[in-house]
Amino acid sequence: MAQKEEAAAAAAPAAPAAPASQNGEDLDDLDDPEKLKELIELPPFEIVTGERLPVNFFKFQFRNVEYSSGRNKTFLCYVVEAQGKGGQVQASRGYLEDEHAAAHAEEAFFNTILPACDPAVRYNVTWYVSSSPCAACADRIVRTLGKTKNLRLLILVGRLFMWEEPDVQAALRRLKEAGCRLRIMKPQDFEYVWQNFVEQEEGESKAFEPWEDIQENFLYYEEKLADILK
Protein backbone atom coordinates (compact mmCIF):
# COMPACT_ATOMS: atom_id res chain seq x y z
CA MET A 1 0.00 0.00 0.00
CA ALA A 2 1.41 3.35 -1.00
CA GLN A 3 1.47 6.12 1.55
CA LYS A 4 3.35 9.32 2.32
CA GLU A 5 5.73 9.20 5.27
CA GLU A 6 7.42 12.53 5.91
CA ALA A 7 10.60 12.53 7.97
CA ALA A 8 10.03 13.52 11.58
CA ALA A 9 13.30 15.39 11.52
CA ALA A 10 12.15 17.89 8.89
CA ALA A 11 12.42 20.73 11.37
CA ALA A 12 16.16 20.22 11.74
CA PRO A 13 18.69 20.94 8.96
CA ALA A 14 19.95 17.79 7.31
CA ALA A 15 23.68 17.27 7.12
CA PRO A 16 24.96 17.98 3.59
CA ALA A 17 26.23 15.03 1.60
CA ALA A 18 28.83 15.34 -1.12
CA PRO A 19 28.54 13.70 -4.57
CA ALA A 20 31.35 11.35 -3.55
CA SER A 21 32.05 9.52 -0.32
CA GLN A 22 34.63 10.96 2.04
CA ASN A 23 37.21 8.36 1.04
CA GLY A 24 36.99 9.48 -2.57
CA GLU A 25 34.87 6.62 -3.89
CA ASP A 26 32.23 7.71 -6.40
CA LEU A 27 28.62 6.95 -5.54
CA ASP A 28 27.23 6.76 -9.05
CA ASP A 29 24.46 4.20 -8.57
CA LEU A 30 21.53 6.61 -8.75
CA ASP A 31 19.00 3.78 -8.90
CA ASP A 32 19.75 2.84 -5.29
CA PRO A 33 17.40 4.95 -3.07
CA GLU A 34 19.72 4.72 -0.09
CA LYS A 35 22.68 5.99 -2.09
CA LEU A 36 20.53 8.77 -3.49
CA LYS A 37 19.73 9.88 0.05
CA GLU A 38 23.46 10.14 0.68
CA LEU A 39 23.99 12.20 -2.48
CA ILE A 40 21.31 14.79 -1.94
CA GLU A 41 22.12 18.06 -0.23
CA LEU A 42 19.26 19.67 1.66
CA PRO A 43 19.89 23.42 1.97
CA PRO A 44 18.25 24.40 5.27
CA PHE A 45 15.43 26.90 5.57
CA GLU A 46 15.46 28.40 2.09
CA ILE A 47 13.69 28.38 -1.24
CA VAL A 48 15.84 27.39 -4.20
CA THR A 49 14.85 28.32 -7.76
CA GLY A 50 16.30 27.39 -11.12
CA GLU A 51 15.58 26.18 -14.63
CA ARG A 52 16.71 22.55 -14.33
CA LEU A 53 17.18 20.37 -11.28
CA PRO A 54 20.01 17.85 -10.79
CA VAL A 55 19.45 14.28 -11.95
CA ASN A 56 19.86 12.78 -8.48
CA PHE A 57 17.26 15.16 -7.03
CA PHE A 58 14.72 14.08 -9.63
CA LYS A 59 15.39 10.36 -9.25
CA PHE A 60 14.99 10.49 -5.49
CA GLN A 61 12.41 13.20 -4.83
CA PHE A 62 10.01 12.57 -7.72
CA ARG A 63 9.91 8.80 -7.43
CA ASN A 64 6.31 7.74 -6.71
CA VAL A 65 7.43 5.23 -4.12
CA GLU A 66 5.29 3.16 -1.80
CA TYR A 67 7.05 4.57 1.27
CA SER A 68 8.59 8.03 1.03
CA SER A 69 10.44 8.39 4.34
CA GLY A 70 13.24 10.94 4.08
CA ARG A 71 11.67 12.92 1.27
CA ASN A 72 11.10 16.03 3.37
CA LYS A 73 11.26 18.52 0.50
CA THR A 74 8.80 19.58 -2.16
CA PHE A 75 10.01 19.99 -5.72
CA LEU A 76 7.72 22.04 -7.97
CA CYS A 77 8.36 22.36 -11.70
CA TYR A 78 6.16 24.96 -13.37
CA VAL A 79 5.08 26.20 -16.77
CA VAL A 80 3.39 29.61 -16.94
CA GLU A 81 1.63 30.63 -20.15
CA ALA A 82 0.42 34.22 -20.19
CA GLN A 83 -1.90 35.28 -23.02
CA GLY A 84 -2.71 38.94 -23.54
CA LYS A 85 -5.57 40.57 -25.43
CA GLY A 86 -3.63 40.36 -28.69
CA GLY A 87 -3.50 36.58 -28.41
CA GLN A 88 0.26 36.44 -28.05
CA VAL A 89 1.40 33.85 -25.52
CA GLN A 90 4.50 34.27 -23.39
CA ALA A 91 5.73 31.15 -21.63
CA SER A 92 8.17 30.70 -18.77
CA ARG A 93 9.30 27.66 -16.84
CA GLY A 94 11.51 26.64 -13.97
CA TYR A 95 11.45 24.85 -10.65
CA LEU A 96 11.31 25.52 -6.92
CA GLU A 97 12.44 23.39 -4.03
CA ASP A 98 11.84 23.92 -0.35
CA GLU A 99 12.47 22.73 3.15
CA HIS A 100 9.20 21.85 4.87
CA ALA A 101 10.42 23.69 7.97
CA ALA A 102 10.34 26.93 5.99
CA ALA A 103 7.96 28.27 3.32
CA HIS A 104 6.57 25.57 1.09
CA ALA A 105 7.18 25.57 -2.65
CA GLU A 106 3.50 26.19 -3.46
CA GLU A 107 3.52 29.31 -1.28
CA ALA A 108 6.84 30.42 -2.77
CA PHE A 109 5.46 30.17 -6.30
CA PHE A 110 2.82 32.79 -5.61
CA ASN A 111 5.21 34.94 -3.59
CA THR A 112 8.17 34.93 -6.00
CA ILE A 113 7.28 33.51 -9.42
CA LEU A 114 3.79 34.89 -9.88
CA PRO A 115 3.35 37.51 -7.15
CA ALA A 116 0.74 39.47 -9.11
CA CYS A 117 -1.54 38.72 -12.06
CA ASP A 118 -2.43 41.33 -14.67
CA PRO A 119 -6.25 41.26 -14.95
CA ALA A 120 -5.90 41.85 -18.71
CA VAL A 121 -3.87 38.63 -19.12
CA ARG A 122 -5.08 35.03 -19.02
CA TYR A 123 -2.73 32.70 -17.15
CA ASN A 124 -2.53 28.95 -17.67
CA VAL A 125 -0.23 27.44 -15.07
CA THR A 126 0.90 23.82 -14.85
CA TRP A 127 2.73 22.38 -11.86
CA TYR A 128 4.58 19.08 -11.75
CA VAL A 129 5.07 18.47 -8.03
CA SER A 130 6.85 15.69 -6.17
CA SER A 131 3.93 15.41 -3.71
CA SER A 132 0.48 16.94 -3.35
CA PRO A 133 -0.08 20.12 -1.31
CA CYS A 134 -0.51 20.09 2.44
CA ALA A 135 -3.74 21.52 3.86
CA ALA A 136 -2.27 25.00 4.42
CA CYS A 137 -0.86 25.24 0.89
CA ALA A 138 -4.13 23.96 -0.57
CA ASP A 139 -5.97 26.74 1.23
CA ARG A 140 -3.51 29.32 -0.14
CA ILE A 141 -4.14 28.01 -3.64
CA VAL A 142 -7.91 28.18 -3.11
CA ARG A 143 -7.67 31.80 -1.93
CA THR A 144 -5.51 32.75 -4.89
CA LEU A 145 -7.85 31.14 -7.41
CA GLY A 146 -10.81 32.79 -5.73
CA LYS A 147 -9.46 36.30 -6.22
CA THR A 148 -7.73 35.67 -9.58
CA LYS A 149 -10.41 34.59 -12.01
CA ASN A 150 -8.04 34.80 -14.98
CA LEU A 151 -5.76 32.10 -13.53
CA ARG A 152 -6.17 28.43 -14.45
CA LEU A 153 -4.09 25.90 -12.54
CA LEU A 154 -3.34 22.24 -13.28
CA ILE A 155 -1.40 20.33 -10.62
CA LEU A 156 0.17 16.98 -11.43
CA VAL A 157 1.63 15.20 -8.40
CA GLY A 158 3.95 12.23 -8.08
CA ARG A 159 2.63 11.15 -4.68
CA LEU A 160 -0.23 12.01 -2.35
CA PHE A 161 0.89 13.76 0.83
CA MET A 162 -0.64 12.29 4.03
CA TRP A 163 -3.72 11.32 2.04
CA GLU A 164 -5.25 9.37 4.94
CA GLU A 165 -5.61 12.51 7.06
CA PRO A 166 -9.18 13.96 7.01
CA ASP A 167 -7.95 17.57 6.87
CA VAL A 168 -5.75 16.81 3.87
CA GLN A 169 -8.60 15.04 2.09
CA ALA A 170 -10.92 17.99 2.76
CA ALA A 171 -8.27 20.39 1.45
CA LEU A 172 -7.92 18.42 -1.79
CA ARG A 173 -11.67 18.56 -2.26
CA ARG A 174 -11.60 22.32 -1.74
CA LEU A 175 -9.02 22.56 -4.51
CA LYS A 176 -11.35 20.77 -6.89
CA GLU A 177 -14.29 22.96 -5.86
CA ALA A 178 -12.16 26.06 -6.51
CA GLY A 179 -11.56 24.97 -10.09
CA CYS A 180 -8.06 23.57 -9.67
CA ARG A 181 -7.43 20.49 -11.77
CA LEU A 182 -5.52 17.88 -9.78
CA ARG A 183 -4.24 14.53 -11.02
CA ILE A 184 -1.52 11.96 -10.42
CA MET A 185 1.54 12.00 -12.67
CA LYS A 186 1.54 9.23 -15.26
CA PRO A 187 4.79 7.66 -16.48
CA GLN A 188 4.61 10.00 -19.48
CA ASP A 189 4.48 12.99 -17.13
CA PHE A 190 7.63 11.87 -15.34
CA GLU A 191 9.27 11.56 -18.74
CA TYR A 192 8.17 15.11 -19.60
CA VAL A 193 9.73 16.44 -16.41
CA TRP A 194 12.91 14.49 -17.15
CA GLN A 195 13.18 15.98 -20.63
CA ASN A 196 12.23 19.57 -19.74
CA PHE A 197 13.30 20.18 -16.14
CA VAL A 198 16.26 17.88 -15.42
CA GLU A 199 19.87 18.73 -16.16
CA GLN A 200 21.29 16.91 -19.17
CA GLU A 201 25.00 16.28 -19.57
CA GLU A 202 26.78 18.23 -22.30
CA GLY A 203 23.52 19.31 -23.92
CA GLU A 204 22.58 15.74 -24.84
CA SER A 205 19.20 14.40 -23.80
CA LYS A 206 19.46 11.01 -22.11
CA ALA A 207 16.42 8.77 -22.40
CA PHE A 208 14.17 8.54 -19.36
CA GLU A 209 14.40 5.17 -17.62
CA PRO A 210 11.21 4.46 -15.63
CA TRP A 211 11.63 2.66 -12.32
CA GLU A 212 10.15 -0.78 -11.83
CA ASP A 213 6.95 0.10 -9.96
CA ILE A 214 6.17 3.45 -11.62
CA GLN A 215 2.94 2.27 -13.31
CA GLU A 216 1.72 0.27 -10.30
CA ASN A 217 2.16 3.20 -7.92
CA PHE A 218 0.55 5.60 -10.39
CA LEU A 219 -2.56 3.41 -10.55
CA TYR A 220 -2.65 3.12 -6.77
CA TYR A 221 -2.46 6.86 -6.16
CA GLU A 222 -4.90 7.56 -9.00
CA GLU A 223 -7.46 5.31 -7.32
CA LYS A 224 -6.92 6.96 -3.93
CA LEU A 225 -7.29 10.45 -5.39
CA ALA A 226 -10.48 9.49 -7.21
CA ASP A 227 -11.93 8.17 -3.96
CA ILE A 228 -11.03 11.39 -2.15
CA LEU A 229 -12.46 13.71 -4.79
CA LYS A 230 -15.68 11.86 -5.57
Side-chain angles (χ1 to χ4, degrees):
M1 179 181 294
Q3 62 184 11
K4 177 80 174 190
E5 290 188 354
E6 291 297 331
S21 60
Q22 292 184 358
N23 61 7
E25 296 176 358
D26 291 332
L27 299 176
D28 55 0
D29 186 1
L30 296 180
D31 292 324
D32 185 333
E34 291 305 315
K35 288 188 177 182
L36 278 171
K37 288 173 68 175
E38 296 175 8
L39 289 171
I40 292 176
E41 297 181 359
L42 300 180
F45 312 115
E46 65 177 334
I47 295 294
V48 179
T49 63
E51 294 183 1
R52 288 182 177 265
L53 61 148
V55 169
N56 55 326
F57 281 23
F58 170 80
K59 286 190 173 183
F60 181 71
Q61 298 287 355
F62 268 91
R63 188 162 180 162
N64 61 346
V65 289
E66 181 176 355
Y67 299 102
S68 54
S69 178
R71 291 170 171 84
N72 56 353
K73 295 166 69 73
T74 298
F75 279 74
L76 187 158
C77 300
Y78 62 86
V79 178
V80 177
E81 295 180 329
Q83 182 176 357
K85 290 183 177 180
Q88 185 177 2
V89 177
Q90 293 183 337
S92 61
R93 68 177 65 216
Y95 84 94
L96 298 165
E97 60 178 280
D98 68 22
E99 286 285 352
H100 279 180
H104 292 194
E106 297 92 338
E107 182 89 10
F109 176 86
F110 292 116
N111 292 341
T112 63
I113 305 302
L114 200 64
C117 293
D118 184 341
V121 175
R122 185 173 63 187
Y123 298 89
N124 291 314
V125 177
T126 303
W127 289 354
Y128 299 86
V129 196
S130 54
S131 62
S132 59
C134 66
C137 286
D139 287 341
R140 169 63 193 271
I141 295 168
V142 168
R143 293 195 303 271
T144 300
L145 292 176
K147 66 182 181 181
T148 315
K149 301 301 183 182
N150 53 324
L151 172 64
R152 298 291 180 268
L153 178 61
L154 167 63
I155 304 178
L156 300 95
V157 302
R159 305 183 299 275
L160 290 177
F161 172 74
M162 299 181 65
W163 58 267
E164 293 175 310
E165 297 294 329
D167 62 330
V168 172
Q169 294 182 5
L172 295 179
R173 287 191 287 268
R174 289 195 295 273
L175 282 177
K176 179 182 178 181
E177 293 167 1
C180 176
R181 292 173 293 159
L182 180 68
R183 69 175 177 84
I184 306 298
M185 288 177 64
K186 301 176 181 179
Q188 304 95 296
D189 298 316
F190 289 104
E191 183 175 12
Y192 177 84
V193 172
W194 171 265
Q195 293 175 345
N196 292 276
F197 294 98
V198 178
E199 292 177 352
Q200 303 292 334
E201 294 183 2
E202 300 179 357
E204 296 182 0
S205 179
K206 185 178 179 181
F208 173 66
E209 298 178 0
W211 42 92
E212 182 179 359
D213 53 359
I214 187 172
Q215 178 69 12
E216 177 186 352
N217 286 341
F218 155 66
L219 292 174
Y220 178 83
Y221 280 125
E222 184 181 49
E223 180 182 357
K224 291 303 176 186
L225 181 61
D227 288 342
I228 292 170
L229 297 182
K230 67 181 180 182

